[in-house]
Amino acid sequence: QQLCALLDARFPDRAPHADLITFVADRPGHDRRYAMDIGKIQRELGWAPRETLETGLAKTVDWYVAHSDWLTALAAEKGLEAWWAENYAERLSG
């Protein structure tokens, strides 16, 4: 939902992006929630993340928007479906 909101803000003429979400049946054993506790690394090493989820997602979206030529060139060179199959075939077949 956050990613869709970012895309809606950058491409309001294509909104709402949330309409593109397709829910699928959950696979057995799949985690319903992911959470990180960074307390130990903060205590022992003094490390803290530089980005929040929100700022990191925004920077990622901005990078892809600024480098859309990369994806366009990739699609033209190999065909996007071929690239998808090459890079995600194992996930799709499993």
Side-chain angles (χ1 to χ4, degrees):
Q1 297 294 330
Q2 290 176 343
L3 183 58
C4 290
L6 289 167
L7 291 168
D8 288 347
R10 285 154 180 83
F11 302 102
D13 57 317
R14 299 182 200 167
H17 287 83
D19 289 350
L20 299 172
I21 296 173
T22 302
F23 291 93
V24 297
D26 206 5
R27 55 185 200 275
H30 184 241
D31 295 335
R32 296 200 179 272
R33 179 175 176 268
Y34 295 100
M36 293 179 58
D37 178 3
I38 61 168
K40 183 175 181 179
I41 198 166
Q42 284 178 321
R43 284 189 310 276
E44 294 186 12
L45 300 178
W47 181 87
R50 291 184 213 161
E51 302 291 339
T52 64
L53 175 63
E54 292 78 15
T55 62
L57 276 177
K59 285 183 176 183
T60 300
V61 167
D62 290 341
W63 186 92
Y64 275 96
V65 169
H67 296 91
S68 61
D69 56 326
W70 170 78
L71 189 55
T72 302
L74 183 65
E77 175 187 328
K78 293 183 108 175
L80 191 52
E81 288 185 27
W83 180 87
W84 187 267
E86 179 183 322
N87 289 279
Y88 290 95
E90 291 177 14
R91 294 182 192 182
L92 295 173
S93 67

